[in-house]
Amino acid sequence: MKTRRAFLQNITMASAGLPFLTINASSLGNIYKSDDKVLRVALLGLGGYAQRVAESIQSCKRVKITGLISGTPDKLKTWSAKYNVPEKSCYNYQNFDSIKDNPEVDAVYVITPNSLHREFTIRAAKAGKHVICEKPMAINVKEGEEMIAACKKANVKLLIGYRMHFEPHTLEVIRMRNEGDFGQIKFFQGLCGFRIGDPAQWRLSKALAGGGSLMDIGIYAINGCRYMVGEEPIWVTAQETKTDPVKFKEGVDETIQFQFGFKSGAVASCLSTYNMNNLDRFFLNGEKGFAEMLPSTGYGPIKGKTNKGEINAPVVVHQTEQMDQMAGILFDGKKPVVPVDGEEGLKDLKIIEAIYKAVATGKKVSL
């Protein structure tokens, strides 16, 4: 989906004509002081999303890019010049471990295909650096557990790139739910998907992605269901539909519908697909009210309404807000409303494995 992968053209233009206020992170109730410690980050894997992150960091109050890691020499040269990173702080995948001797790097942000998350997270931890890892944090539960253990052993923190956990409209819905505005939650629907393009890309490789749509866009519905309902699911059922077995080979899912049940009695119905556009919607229904987010997880601007009217929350650049907030987590011990640690990432991996098991067996799987 072009809107999902393309860069934000201009956040001011994007919000023109909308009843939202476009502000930076410092206007969200976080008072940034001139003496706040700045998080110095090395970006690992200089692909399309890393470029979005890098551009967003330029507006951060507490984060700057001080290192680069890539297997492509030309990218290192171009990015080094663009972001003013010295050659001594540029690494390839072979000499990356020597980053342990670089005092100018506090954390490594792993932005590679899913199957490489484990390796580079563990190597970064052994080098004594905090780790920020893109989601899903790994391709299976075992790898996720190994990543958490490695970071604990090295006494570094592991954070997962859950940008929506800092998004103002999302946080407003969570606040309203916590305060009982919707009453007892009964139902959640999460629709996430787009028509994927290049059939040769890594997202359609079982070896690199660990699956298909569920490992990419589907995780938004899984994670979103958990933070919107405010509970962990206790069972899952799921069904897969595949219309193009050439493009979506064995082990690469095209479309999966999955359903959750919760201890409270709430239920959820979700869709993850690589074969349909116009799917970016969350709907939460309770005894006293509802919340709808449309779009719900795209790069912005997020829009939402409840039974009380439109959600007039600030519009932010998600990655800018995420990185500044993560600086606060790493240096100041701040606790986000919704966790972004390795344990949070592991919960999603356990659900993903259960969904794939439900697809394979046709049975309800307990969580």
Side-chain angles (χ1 to χ4, degrees):
M1 181 173 63
K2 291 182 179 180
T3 56
R4 183 174 184 273
R5 303 296 178 194
F7 287 99
L8 289 172
Q9 295 179 354
N10 182 293
I11 190 64
T12 304
M13 291 176 63
S15 58
L18 295 175
F20 297 104
L21 176 64
T22 302
I23 63 173
N24 59 33
S26 62
S27 302
L28 292 177
N30 304 301
I31 306 303
Y32 295 102
K33 302 183 293 295
S34 60
D35 59 348
D36 279 338
K37 189 174 181 182
V38 172
L39 177 64
R40 299 166 299 179
V41 175
L43 301 180
L44 191 157
L46 306 182
Y49 189 70
Q51 193 170 354
R52 181 183 290 276
V53 171
E55 291 296 325
S56 300
I57 286 176
Q58 305 314 299
S59 300
C60 283
K61 306 294 185 182
R62 298 192 61 182
V63 184
K64 67 178 181 179
I65 301 169
T66 59
L68 299 167
I69 306 103
S70 175
T72 307
D74 287 346
K75 283 186 178 181
L76 286 174
K77 183 177 180 180
T78 302
W79 284 55
S80 173
K82 183 174 183 179
Y83 298 109
N84 196 29
V85 176
E87 185 178 350
K88 66 179 181 180
S89 293
C90 294
Y91 305 87
N92 57 43
Y93 294 147
Q94 287 69 47
N95 65 15
F96 161 60
D97 303 285
S98 62
I99 202 171
K100 68 179 185 297
D101 300 317
N102 190 338
E104 296 300 313
V105 173
D106 302 308
V108 174
Y109 195 159
V110 179
I111 315 176
T112 63
N114 304 336
S115 65
L116 302 177
H117 289 180
R118 173 193 174 277
E119 175 192 346
F120 287 117
T121 292
I122 292 175
R123 288 173 68 180
K126 288 182 177 178
K129 307 300 180 182
H130 297 301
V131 183
I132 303 170
C133 181
E134 259 312 304
K135 59 192 178 301
M137 66 180 288
I139 60 172
N140 56 51
V141 171
K142 180 177 181 294
E143 287 193 357
E145 291 173 338
E146 290 171 351
M147 292 160 66
I148 292 171
C151 290
K152 286 182 178 178
K153 182 177 180 180
N155 196 30
V156 299
K157 293 181 180 178
L158 171 60
L159 304 180
I160 311 301
Y162 287 114
R163 59 185 169 84
M164 300 310 299
H165 293 196
F166 307 105
E167 197 282 316
H169 297 75
T170 301
L171 292 176
E172 175 61 12
V173 171
I174 293 172
R175 183 197 66 78
M176 292 178 69
R177 186 207 66 221
N178 286 341
E179 294 187 3
D181 287 10
F182 308 132
Q184 184 177 347
I185 301 302
K186 293 294 188 179
F187 175 72
F188 172 82
Q189 181 186 52
L191 305 178
C192 297
F194 62 96
R195 288 185 64 86
I196 200 163
D198 182 7
Q201 65 179 282
W202 69 263
R203 288 178 179 82
L204 295 177
S205 164
K206 168 69 172 177
L208 291 174
S213 69
L214 192 67
M215 296 294 288
D216 182 26
I217 193 69
I219 196 169
Y220 286 98
I222 295 168
N223 192 254
C225 181
R226 293 174 50 233
Y227 63 65
M228 292 282 279
V229 175
E231 286 187 76
E232 297 298 326
I234 59 174
W235 58 257
V236 60
T237 54
Q239 308 82 36
E240 180 179 7
T241 302
K242 185 173 292 191
T243 64
D244 188 346
V246 175
K247 188 173 186 178
F248 303 99
K249 298 177 174 58
E250 182 68 26
V252 179
D253 47 283
E254 174 186 328
T255 300
I256 293 183
Q257 298 174 78
F258 52 96
Q259 303 80 39
F260 293 144
F262 299 86
K263 188 175 181 179
S264 66
V267 292
S269 177
C270 301
L271 175 71
S272 167
T273 184
Y274 269 161
N275 198 31
M276 287 179 263
N277 288 329
N278 308 309
L279 290 175
D280 186 8
R281 178 180 183 266
F282 284 175
F283 181 78
L284 184 71
N285 198 33
E287 286 186 328
K288 295 166 56 178
F290 73 90
E292 180 185 46
M293 302 185 72
L294 178 66
S296 57
T297 65
Y299 291 143
I302 299 300
K303 292 192 287 185
K305 64 181 180 180
T306 74
N307 52 292
K308 295 185 176 183
E310 187 176 14
I311 301 173
N312 290 305
V315 171
V316 301
V317 177
H318 299 172
Q319 294 79 6
T320 302
E321 181 68 9
Q322 170 195 320
M323 296 305 293
D324 270 336
Q325 293 285 357
M326 284 184 167
I329 293 170
L330 292 174
F331 291 147
D332 308 331
K334 289 187 176 180
K335 301 293 184 183
V337 173
V338 184
V340 292
D341 56 17
E343 295 295 340
E344 176 75 2
L346 188 64
K347 290 177 181 178
D348 281 342
L349 288 180
K350 290 179 178 178
I351 294 171
I352 287 172
E353 286 197 356
I355 291 173
Y356 281 135
K357 183 177 180 181
V359 167
T361 62
K363 297 179 180 179
K364 180 187 288 188
V365 176
S366 297
L367 292 162

